Amino acid sequence: MSEAVSRRVSRGGTRWLVPLAWSLVLLSACVGMPWLEGLFRLVEPDSRSVIYARADFLTLLGRHLLVVAVAALAAVIIGVGAAVAVTRCAGRDFLPLVAQLASIGQTFPPVAVLALAVPVLGFGTLPIIVALLLYGLLPIVRNTLAGLEGVDPGVREAARGMGMTGGQLLRQVELPLAAPVILAGIRTSVTINIATAAIGATVGASNLGDPIISGIVNGNTAYVLQGALLIGLLALTVDSVFARLQPAAA
Amino acid sequence: MIELIGVSKRFGETAAVDDISLRVERGELCVLVGTSGCGKSTTLRMINRLIEHSDGEIHIDGQQIRDFREETLRRRMGYAIQSTGLFPHWTVARNIGLVPRLLKWPPARIRERVEELMAMLGLSMDEFAGKYPRQLSGGQAQRVGVARALAADPDILLMDEPFGALDPITRETLQQELRELQARLQKTIVFVTHDMDEALRLADRLVVMDGGRIRQQGHPLELLREPADAFVESLLGGEDRGLKEAALLTVGERMMPLSPRLLPRERISRHATLREALSMMLWRHAERLAVVDDEDMPVGELSLRQLVGAKHHE
């Protein structure tokens, strides 16, 4: 057993190398963007400024992350919670309904959600969080359902037959066994939403979408490229973190 | 002691189990046998309330099972099933310690108990304690399943075709081990199977079920000698019945004291079954066998005549 522990520890050092490398690239891109002025000048030779300067890239990154994180957290709580509820005996009747609602959430375009949410919630961060939450719900609900349904019925029967309560069964058996599949759903949801969050800039939620929107409005391709580059790097970084969190296929 | 009084289970209009009464004494191994869909598994699962009975009463040591909380009731009974239902994300040791942990035993006592059980079931602690179920063979996994069922030392053990998915050799080994365990532990066991040979080998009380009803129950020899109807007779193996009966009797029961005649060369243990003795006679073309004890010392002899008919001569 001590052998396994030491192996895990020694692997722990290298496990996080890839995410660490991506976040370093991301951070240096945020800080070092001005040094790439020459490069962007090639794209936009005629513009007065080629580096987006209305806000600090690091601040935009932080806000972007915050919006995605809050939306993801809410989506996980609601999505996993709903999927767990409808796989219990009492809630089984609602399973098709919840699965459908989650699908509708994803087919509904986030832009439309924004358009509908702004009159109610006002400009700013709140509408984009709602839009991301709805958009990100489906992969989480679907994967949680698949993960829970995928638990061997024999395991469930033995657990109940041994005298586990419903809560013990859920916490000690079903959720741990479904965890890899649930985590994969969260990963998909978060990665999609990192890209989708950019449209928040249209309703005044300042984030990495700002340079893109501003670039489109002012016809400055360099701004668009900078926003896109940082969002892409952020997505890769977060995705590599999830790749580490997911246990090696057992 | 388990007692079922007029118990039925209906799913909608159909009765899966129809008014059965059954009494399993303390220390008795009761085998429910029948074709698939005869209600034997349903009956078993009503005892630990995985299925609630619709009618009648089920008592454990004189107390109605509905008086217990479901979980309390189940933690008092071991439960082993064909698919083992071991938790794939837990090690063997942790799987075995499940019920003691649910009962909040102190960790040291759990560890001790797990060690004891693994030794009892021939699983070496060093080799298996840290393994995961997917690393086990079918027979090993089923041993772990039985160990888990025995973990909290319950008086009652419910087993639903536990050896059904194993190859014949492993199955026979485990049946033998279960018999030995039972001889030592004297649990009250309800065992479900559709394999009549397994049923005959294990049962103190054999219960033949069909269509949700009990067709006949009693000691295996009683059923073999006097089957209640054609169904029981055919289930018990029809023309093979003589051999099945022979498999339940030991050489020791039929042998004669040593005679002054020359001792035959072919030897057989006094614990062997008459079926094995007959097979040896056929194989070796011998009409007489020397019977030996555990130390290989001759204690008697068995002739073909005694083997086939001693019952009637005496």
Side-chain angles (χ1 to χ4, degrees):
Chain A
M1 195 184 272
S2 64
E3 203 180 308
V5 169
S6 68
R7 202 165 49 225
R8 208 175 304 154
V9 169
S10 73
R11 226 178 17 174
T14 54
R15 263 168 75 92
W16 293 96
L17 258 185
V18 179
L20 206 67
W22 279 119
S23 34
L24 278 179
V25 174
L26 174 63
L27 287 178
S28 35
C30 284
V31 178
M33 203 61 93
W35 281 292
L36 297 177
E37 192 172 347
L39 209 63
F40 288 112
R41 184 61 73 188
L42 296 177
V43 184
E44 282 290 330
D46 307 325
S47 294
R48 199 152 43 83
S49 103
V50 292
I51 298 295
Y52 185 77
R54 214 170 304 162
D56 183 26
F57 281 120
L58 274 179
T59 317
L60 294 179
L61 173 69
R63 288 188 186 143
H64 200 102
L65 261 179
L66 188 71
V67 164
V68 173
V70 171
L73 195 69
V76 168
I77 293 171
I78 297 173
V80 174
V84 165
V86 298
T87 47
R88 301 306 98 186
C89 275
R92 210 152 257 288
D93 293 346
F94 296 97
L95 200 153
L97 179 72
V98 165
Q100 259 166 7
L101 277 181
S103 304
I104 292 171
Q106 203 177 30
T107 47
F108 214 76
V111 180
V113 177
L114 280 188
L116 291 174
V118 168
V120 183
L121 302 170
F123 277 87
T125 321
L126 213 50
I128 186 65
I129 288 181
V130 171
L132 293 183
L133 164 65
L134 288 180
Y135 201 51
L137 218 44
L138 175 72
I140 296 177
V141 170
R142 196 181 41 202
N143 278 39
T144 309
L145 286 177
L148 291 175
E149 304 274 278
V151 173
D152 178 1
V155 167
R156 204 174 280 132
E157 178 179 346
R160 291 218 299 136
M162 296 282 155
M164 281 187 137
T165 61
Q168 288 167 331
L169 173 65
L170 179 68
R171 280 191 308 276
Q172 299 184 33
V173 181
E174 293 184 304
L175 283 180
L177 286 176
V181 186
I182 298 177
L183 204 61
I186 298 174
R187 180 180 176 178
T188 312
S189 162
V190 169
T191 317
I192 293 175
N193 274 349
I194 286 175
T196 315
I199 61 163
T202 57
V203 294
S206 109
N207 59 32
L208 289 177
D210 277 9
I212 297 179
I213 303 298
S214 160
I216 291 171
V217 170
N218 302 319
N220 189 328
T221 316
Y223 287 1
V224 177
L225 281 177
Q226 285 152 29
L229 176 73
L230 293 179
I231 289 175
L233 283 175
L234 177 61
L236 284 170
T237 309
V238 171
D239 194 61
S240 69
V241 171
F242 274 109
R244 283 301 110 192
L245 283 179
Q246 233 151 3
Chain B
M1 198 255 295
I2 305 170
E3 196 170 17
L4 283 70
I5 308 164
V7 172
S8 300
K9 175 65 194 180
R10 276 183 297 278
F11 295 106
E13 287 292 289
T14 53
V17 173
D18 192 8
D19 188 25
I20 64 170
S21 294
L22 174 67
R23 199 183 151 96
V24 187
E25 298 297 337
R26 177 175 285 275
E28 200 173 35
L29 200 165
C30 169
V31 177
L32 306 182
V33 69
T35 48
S36 31
C38 71
K40 55 191 193 298
S41 280
T42 309
T43 304
L44 183 84
R45 298 170 57 164
M46 283 192 292
I47 298 175
N48 66 1
R49 287 181 68 188
L50 283 176
I51 297 176
E52 295 284 353
H53 55 282
S54 325
D55 268 316
E57 287 179 14
I58 302 179
H59 296 264
I60 301 294
D61 295 330
Q63 245 184 309
Q64 279 235 41
I65 58 169
R66 288 209 170 126
D67 293 344
F68 296 94
R69 252 185 70 217
E70 274 175 59
E71 286 81 23
T72 319
L73 179 77
R74 291 178 191 146
R75 288 170 196 175
R76 285 184 50 166
M77 303 180 183
Y79 187 50
I81 57 178
Q82 178 171 344
S83 65
T84 74
L86 295 178
F87 298 170
H89 58 307
W90 284 11
T91 61
V92 165
R94 191 150 182 226
N95 265 293
I96 296 177
L98 169 63
V99 181
R101 203 160 36 244
L102 292 177
L103 293 170
K104 303 203 164 57
W105 288 16
R109 185 166 162 220
I110 296 177
R111 211 172 312 124
E112 209 172 286
R113 179 64 180 156
V114 169
E115 272 176 42
E116 186 185 345
L117 282 161
M118 289 186 67
M120 198 190 285
L121 283 143
L123 297 160
S124 118
M125 193 73 191
D126 294 336
E127 191 182 347
F128 289 106
K131 278 200 174 166
Y132 286 89
R134 65 171 179 281
Q135 298 168 296
L136 305 177
S137 71
Q140 289 161 353
Q142 204 48 259
R143 280 200 179 87
V144 175
V146 173
R148 181 176 65 173
L150 288 169
D153 204 14
D155 295 329
I156 294 169
L157 209 53
L158 305 178
M159 309 182 88
D160 194 351
E161 303 207 26
F163 309 144
L166 304 175
D167 64 87
I169 295 172
T170 313
R171 191 184 317 162
E172 244 176 79
T173 317
L174 281 173
Q175 286 164 0
Q176 186 58 35
E177 286 181 17
L178 180 64
R179 277 226 68 95
E180 285 161 15
L181 272 179
Q182 172 62 356
R184 253 196 301 159
L185 303 176
Q186 290 292 306
K187 303 287 182 194
T188 308
I189 302 180
V190 182
F191 188 108
V192 163
T193 183
H194 62 255
D195 175 351
M196 185 51 85
D197 287 313
E198 179 168 82
L200 288 170
R201 203 169 292 144
L202 294 174
D204 298 319
R205 172 187 298 272
L206 188 58
V207 179
V208 175
M209 291 187 67
D210 182 45
R213 291 171 163 276
I214 293 178
R215 283 297 187 96
Q216 192 176 5
Q217 57 173 308
H219 191 274
L221 280 177
E222 271 173 60
L223 268 70
L224 276 167
R225 286 171 185 158
E226 282 159 44
D229 53 33
F231 175 80
V232 176
E233 190 174 340
S234 77
L235 200 70
L236 282 165
E239 56 196 29
D240 259 358
R241 264 163 60 204
L243 287 174
K244 292 209 155 84
E245 182 178 340
L248 294 179
L249 299 169
T250 64
V251 170
E253 293 172 55
R254 290 271 171 100
M255 69 178 187
M256 298 289 283
L258 286 169
S259 69
R261 284 199 293 171
L262 197 64
L263 206 61
R265 259 191 310 138
E266 273 63 281
R267 307 174 146 221
I268 191 156
S269 157
R270 63 181 303 163
H271 304 301
T273 65
L274 288 183
R275 184 184 170 131
E276 287 165 325
L278 181 61
S279 171
M280 183 180 275
M281 287 175 176
L282 289 168
W283 181 246
R284 299 277 176 82
H285 309 292
E287 285 190 14
R288 285 170 68 232
L289 299 175
V291 180
V292 295
D293 62 12
D294 295 332
E295 272 84 51
D296 214 27
M297 291 300 292
V299 289
E301 58 178 72
L302 181 74
S303 71
L304 185 57
R305 274 187 53 157
Q306 284 148 6
L307 190 153
V308 298
K311 184 171 72 180
H312 305 295
H313 285 297
E314 272 165 6

